[in-house]
Amino acid sequence: MITGLAHTALHVSDVDAAVAWYRDVLGLAVLSPPYRMEGDAITRDMGELLPAPVVVKAAIVGVDDGSDRVIEVIEYPEVESGAPPEAGIERLGYTHVALLCDSVARTRTELEGKGVRFLVEGLADVAGLRTTWFADPWDNVFILVEKVRRPEAPYFRQL
């Protein structure tokens, strides 16, 4: 039985650079620094998903609140992955990662000052939430979410 959500993995071309960006720009904590996995154990885990030799470099970033809800930043050093697709939410599958904040307006202003590329003009108020959208340097899409109507409740209970 499924008992919770553990992580969302974002494929990037350079884990070290991504960890620095998520830490320095977004202010996320580095919960597990970059580490390289290769050999029999990772091949048994992912060998049918990646060409040999299976090598994974990964790190965990997020909010250090004791939960399993984190972002795994992952690189496949032995795989030529090419350029990422342009940031967008219309593709099937993964579309975005939502980050909670206490003030979307203040957070957006701070991130704009750090050079973050926003995908929409301004802020929106929808379904009891205040939102705005941005992309990281690897074109992964994020939404900032502020719970406006009922801050004490989960985001999906704002109506």
Side-chain angles (χ1 to χ4, degrees), residues 95-123:
T95 66
H96 65 277
V97 174
L99 300 175
L100 292 171
C101 59
D102 56 2
S103 170
V104 166
R106 202 168 46 248
T107 303
R108 180 177 174 133
T109 298
E110 182 179 328
L111 293 178
E112 284 175 326
K114 294 179 178 182
V116 172
R117 177 173 56 102
F118 279 81
L119 303 173
V120 298
E121 295 291 329
L123 313 177

Side-chain angles (χ1 to χ4, degrees), residues 37-96:
M37 296 175 282
E38 55 191 313
D40 291 341
I42 196 67
T43 298
R44 277 192 301 281
D45 180 47
M46 300 179 77
E48 295 177 64
L49 302 171
L50 294 168
V54 176
V55 179
V56 176
K57 187 172 181 182
I60 305 293
V61 298
V63 177
D64 196 0
D65 64 0
S67 75
D68 284 327
R69 296 176 309 270
V70 296
I71 297 172
E72 181 178 19
V73 184
I74 196 162
E75 172 187 349
Y76 305 112
E78 301 298 321
V79 175
E80 179 61 43
S81 37
E86 185 177 325
I89 60 168
E90 69 283 351
R91 61 182 171 233
L92 295 175
Y94 155 81
T95 66
H96 65 277

Side-chain angles (χ1 to χ4, degrees), residues 124-130 146 148-149 155-159:
D125 287 302
V126 59
L129 304 167
R130 185 160 298 125
E146 176 185 348
V148 176
R149 189 167 295 147
Y155 92 94
F156 57 88
R157 297 216 192 274
Q158 293 301 302
L159 290 175

Side-chain angles (χ1 to χ4, degrees), residues 23-43:
R23 180 193 63 222
D24 299 342
V25 176
L26 296 185
L28 296 177
V30 179
L31 304 171
S32 178
Y35 56 96
R36 186 179 171 102
M37 296 175 282
E38 55 191 313
D40 291 341
I42 196 67
T43 298

